[in-house]
């Protein structure tokens, strides 16, 4: 056992003494030491209840013969950080989380980990650490929030961001905005749509690093506590059998996750995070594979923001096992993949079925025969860019219009709110990439403003930044190379015609190569947005979005 380096032998008497100082007993130190890494805090609604989840995990570990040791992790709430400098820290925090989990695990020689995240960057950050170290690990998320209520309908956070746009456009009054504000988020859990947090929790289940139910059981359900206890028991089984993170997360399971990504219509951020996880696992993965999977995997779910259903509906319909069972009908998953249960994927989903077509369509009747994510290439994005195809209105799958160019999100949102964007425009937001932002801010404010102003079916938005999973419309992000790296997005001028063809995976500015070359000769890079602190260091070391925005 790794913990023998801390607990065994006369020469480790000082180490043991420090553990005794905290009340651990000799008997506890003779058992496997299991890190219970909890992102509990009082600033993130998805994390506010993780102390209860951690307690349940610790009970499961003890029941199965281990010694649980609680370790904290940081977490940014993207919704609270949205629209100001705070969002620059969100994606960057993924690397801090991975590094801190590695630090605590290796410094204290823990035998296994139960990872308790819930939101956005915390989930992939913890998983990146587990596969980097290749230790036994189980993910046990806090579960999704229940949908709220507004105007007699089930809603989630994306509706509130859109309500701001509607208010700015004079379509609703302050009273209606307040009604939405107080009703959209009714309690703890990750926001109720298929946004980034729930996407990653579902994909952890799809990869097998989390137990069945991890992605969809509501945060407030008794089954979530039961799941946490089972996760605590499961890690002891993995430690005993020496089943490590890379035994579970490998080329096979990542392909399985990509298939589920396409079927579920996950957040476009899932592309960044799967690339980063694959990088840590030593698995070759590039953007071409996303389109390969999209071409053959039907889209079976239209959860918010793409549709009106929410995570509680997906859970009631059979959850991820039901989606996986549908995909198996066409041989789209490798059911031999080992999972955190100690069993194969095929064994885990035996007997799974769709219980309601409200949230999961049968594979014979999908929303579309192609998946929810599409990668585009062209002279704007020579290394690729990403769109959540399942959340794009059919009339916007092909679009051509004049560029409206902004060098920051703040400039763009001011123009949108003041009514300067009109039907047919293509909003271009640049210098918001991993280096240029730095931190690749999410663009939920501008996309939601466009949707709230009823422009999401007539206006496209492209950026070297990224989008919240709550964004909908022709929102095309992760443009690579980014502007701060001299990418062609930096050469677009106001009024240039931009042509977008999502079905044919292309995006181009209608400007001759010679003209782009001439513009490049005159290009003057702006001063860095951040020149000190952690973000300045991040900007110097981060890779492009097409590589997962990982630290180099």
């Amino acid at each position: 056992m790794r913990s023998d380096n801390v607990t065994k032998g006369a020469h480790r008497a000082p180490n043991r003494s420090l553990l005794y100082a905290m009340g651990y007993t000799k008997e506890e130190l003779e058992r496997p030491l299991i890190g219970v890494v909890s992102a509990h805090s009082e600033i993130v609604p998805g994390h506010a209840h993780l102390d209860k989840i951690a307690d349940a995990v610790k009970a499961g570990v003890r029941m199965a013969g281990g010694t649980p040791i609680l370790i904290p992790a940081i977490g940014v709430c993207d919704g609270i950080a949205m629209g100001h400098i705070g969002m620059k820290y969100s994606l960057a925090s993924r690397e801090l989380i991975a590094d801190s989990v590695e630090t605590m695990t290796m410094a204290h020689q823990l035998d296994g980990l139960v990872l308790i995240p819930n939101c956005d960057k915390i989930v992939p950050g913890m998983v990146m650490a587990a596969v980097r170290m290749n230790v036994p690990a189980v993910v046990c998320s806090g579960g999704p929030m229940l949908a709220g209520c507004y105007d007699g309908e089930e809603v989630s956070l994306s509706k509130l961001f859109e309500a701001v746009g509607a208010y700015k456009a004079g379509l609703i009054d302050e009273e209606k905005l307040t009604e939405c504000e107080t009703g959209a988020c009714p309690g703890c859990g990750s926001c109720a749509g298929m946004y980034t947090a729930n996407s990653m929790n579902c994909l952890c289940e799809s990869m097998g690093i989390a137990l069945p139910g991890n992605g969809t059981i509501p945060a407030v359900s008794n089954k979530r506590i039961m799941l946490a206890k089972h996760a605590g028991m499961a890690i002891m089984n993995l430690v005993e059998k020496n089943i490590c993170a890379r035994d579970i997360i490998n080329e096979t399971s990542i392909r399985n996750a990509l298939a589920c990504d396409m079927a579920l219509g996950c957040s476009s951020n899932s592309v960044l995070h799967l690339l980063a996880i694959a990088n840590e696992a030593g698995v070759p993965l590039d953007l071409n594979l996303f389109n390969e999977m999209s071409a053959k995997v039907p889209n079976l779910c239209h959860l918010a923001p793409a549709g009106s259903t929410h995570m509680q509906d997906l859970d009631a319909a059979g959850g991820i096992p039901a989606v996986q069972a549908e995909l198996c009908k066409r041989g789209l998953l490798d059911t031999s993949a080992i999972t955190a249960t100690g069993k194969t994927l095929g064994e885990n989903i035996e007997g799974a079925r769709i219980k309601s077509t409200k949230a999961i369509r049968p594979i014979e009747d999908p929303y579309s025969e192609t998946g929810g994510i599409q990668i585009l290439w062209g002279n704007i994005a020579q290394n690729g860019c990403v769109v959540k195809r399942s959340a794009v209105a059919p009339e916007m799958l092909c679009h051509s219009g004049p560029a409206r160019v902004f060098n920051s999100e703040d400039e763009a949102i001011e123009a949108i709110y003041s009514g300067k964007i009109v039907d047919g425009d293509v909003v271009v937001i640049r210098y918001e990439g991993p280096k240029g932002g730095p931190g690749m801010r999410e663009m939920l404010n501008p996309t939601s403003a466009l949707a709230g102003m009823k422009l999401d079916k007539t206006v496209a938005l492209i950026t070297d930044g990224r989008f919240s999973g709550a964004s909908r419309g022709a929102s095309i992000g992760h443009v690579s190379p980014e502007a701060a790296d001299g990418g062609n997005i930096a050469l677009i001028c106001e009024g240039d015609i931009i042509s977008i063809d999502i079905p044919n995976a292309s995006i181009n500015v209608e400007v001759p190569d010679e003209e782009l070359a001439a513009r490049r000769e005159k290009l003057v890079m702006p001063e860095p947005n951040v020149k000190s602190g952690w973000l300045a260091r991040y900007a110097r070391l981060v890779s492009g979005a097409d590589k997962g925005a990982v630290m180099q």
Side-chain angles (χ1 to χ4, degrees):
M1 302 292 287
R2 183 182 287 102
S3 60
D4 289 353
N5 292 326
V6 173
T7 61
K8 295 292 191 292
H11 61 298
R12 295 304 183 201
N15 309 63
R16 290 192 298 273
S17 180
L18 291 166
L19 290 163
Y20 290 145
M22 293 177 282
Y24 290 104
T25 65
K26 179 176 181 293
E27 292 79 7
E28 286 177 302
L29 300 188
E30 290 172 348
R31 299 173 178 178
L33 303 184
I34 305 300
V36 178
V37 187
S38 171
H40 171 248
S41 74
E42 296 181 351
I43 192 61
V44 185
H47 294 180
H49 64 305
L50 294 189
D51 54 340
K52 313 285 192 308
I53 303 298
D55 286 343
V57 167
K58 289 163 69 177
V61 170
R62 290 193 185 100
M63 283 190 281
T67 298
I69 299 175
L70 185 67
I71 295 171
I74 65 168
V76 171
C77 177
D78 280 15
I80 296 173
M82 194 71 65
H84 55 84
I85 191 173
M87 180 48 69
K88 295 180 184 290
Y89 286 87
S90 175
L91 181 61
S93 74
R94 186 188 69 183
E95 314 307 306
L96 289 178
I97 291 161
D99 290 351
S100 63
V101 173
E102 176 193 355
T103 299
M104 296 300 285
T105 302
M106 299 307 293
H108 303 101
Q109 293 292 281
L110 302 173
D111 297 309
L113 300 172
V114 180
L115 305 167
I116 308 177
N118 211 24
C119 294
D120 297 88
K121 313 314 156 304
I122 302 90
V123 183
M126 289 188 180
V127 174
M128 288 162 64
V131 292
R132 179 189 298 172
M133 295 179 292
N134 197 28
V135 296
V138 178
V139 171
C140 181
S141 77
M145 186 185 292
L146 296 177
C149 183
Y150 168 63
D151 225 15
E153 296 181 358
E154 283 190 355
V155 298
S156 50
L157 186 64
S158 57
K159 177 61 72 173
L160 180 52
F161 275 91
E162 292 177 14
V164 174
Y167 174 74
K168 294 283 188 180
L171 300 176
I172 62 171
D173 59 20
E174 188 172 353
E175 183 178 352
K176 295 300 290 184
L177 180 62
T178 300
E179 180 187 340
C180 189
E181 177 182 339
T182 54
C185 299
C188 66
S190 47
C191 297
M194 188 55 81
Y195 311 146
T196 305
N198 291 324
S199 293
M200 293 312 300
N201 285 326
C202 288
L203 293 181
C204 283
E205 187 177 335
S206 304
M207 283 186 285
I209 197 72
L211 302 184
N214 178 75
T216 61
I217 296 173
V220 296
S221 171
N222 61 326
K223 293 180 181 178
R224 179 58 59 176
I225 299 297
M226 295 177 190
L227 181 76
K229 291 177 180 177
H230 284 129
M233 297 179 208
I235 189 59
M236 296 308 299
N237 179 51
L238 297 183
V239 169
E240 180 183 348
K241 294 180 178 178
N242 196 32
I243 298 174
C244 297
R246 291 194 187 189
D247 297 317
I248 295 172
I249 296 182
N250 48 43
E251 189 166 358
T252 296
S253 64
I254 287 175
R255 289 185 72 98
N256 283 345
L258 281 174
C260 289
D261 192 334
M262 299 304 166
L264 291 165
C266 289
S267 163
S268 57
N269 281 317
S270 65
V271 177
L272 277 178
H273 300 323
L274 287 175
L275 287 167
I277 291 168
N279 175 69
E280 296 287 0
V283 174
L285 178 63
D286 66 32
L287 294 177
N288 290 292
L289 184 56
F290 287 84
N291 276 4
E292 178 188 322
M293 298 300 290
S294 182
K296 62 185 180 182
V297 180
N299 179 225
L300 307 182
C301 303
H302 263 195
L303 279 77
S308 59
T309 50
H310 296 89
M311 295 304 294
Q312 65 205 54
D313 303 308
L314 179 59
D315 188 62
I320 304 308
V323 173
Q324 291 171 318
E326 288 300 301
L327 296 179
C328 285
K329 291 179 180 179
R330 291 192 187 173
L332 294 170
L333 298 178
D334 187 334
T335 57
S336 69
I338 194 69
T339 71
T341 64
K343 301 177 182 178
T344 65
L345 171 61
E347 291 173 311
N348 285 350
I349 66 172
E350 187 174 351
R353 59 180 177 82
I354 297 176
K355 298 176 183 178
S356 166
T357 56
K358 178 182 178 182
I360 309 172
R361 283 194 178 182
I363 202 163
E364 299 83 9
D365 182 32
Y367 285 98
S368 68
E369 287 293 342
T370 53
I373 298 286
Q374 183 84 6
I375 309 299
L376 313 180
W377 282 274
N379 65 1
I380 292 176
Q382 292 156 311
N383 294 346
C385 57
V386 181
V387 63
K388 184 172 179 176
R389 179 175 179 165
S390 59
V392 179
E395 55 267 44
M396 288 299 290
L397 290 172
C398 294
H399 179 77
S400 183
R404 305 298 309 281
V405 182
F406 305 95
N407 286 343
S408 71
E409 177 192 9
D410 310 272
E411 293 177 15
I413 195 70
E414 182 181 353
I416 294 169
Y417 282 158
S418 60
K420 295 177 181 177
I421 304 301
V422 299
D423 290 346
D425 284 347
V426 178
V427 176
V428 177
I429 305 177
R430 61 195 181 190
Y431 296 104
E432 290 283 8
K435 293 182 191 299
M440 209 178 178
R441 284 197 287 183
E442 289 183 343
M443 304 290 164
L444 182 54
N445 276 340
T447 59
S448 297
L450 292 172
M453 294 174 171
K454 308 299 182 187
L455 292 172
D456 57 301
K457 295 181 179 180
T458 59
V459 171
L461 192 155
I462 67 172
T463 180
D464 52 9
R466 60 195 178 91
F467 297 105
S468 164
S471 291
R472 63 184 173 96
S475 304
I476 300 165
H478 309 195
V479 169
S480 300
E482 62 174 291
D485 261 347
N488 283 351
I489 189 172
L491 307 179
I492 298 173
C493 292
E494 186 81 7
D496 286 348
I497 299 300
I498 293 177
S499 295
I500 301 164
D501 186 343
I502 294 174
N504 289 303
S506 74
I507 181 166
N508 290 285
V509 57
E510 302 299 329
V511 173
D513 291 344
E514 314 85 72
E515 172 61 19
L516 290 177
R519 292 181 186 181
R520 182 171 298 284
E521 290 292 323
K522 300 176 183 176
L523 181 63
V524 177
M525 290 290 180
E527 285 288 310
N529 289 320
V530 176
K531 298 179 182 179
S532 63
W534 150 238
L535 285 181
R537 186 164 73 253
Y538 176 84
R540 290 195 299 271
L541 299 174
V542 70
S543 74
D546 58 306
K547 303 297 183 185
V550 297
M551 297 282 279
Q552 298 174 313

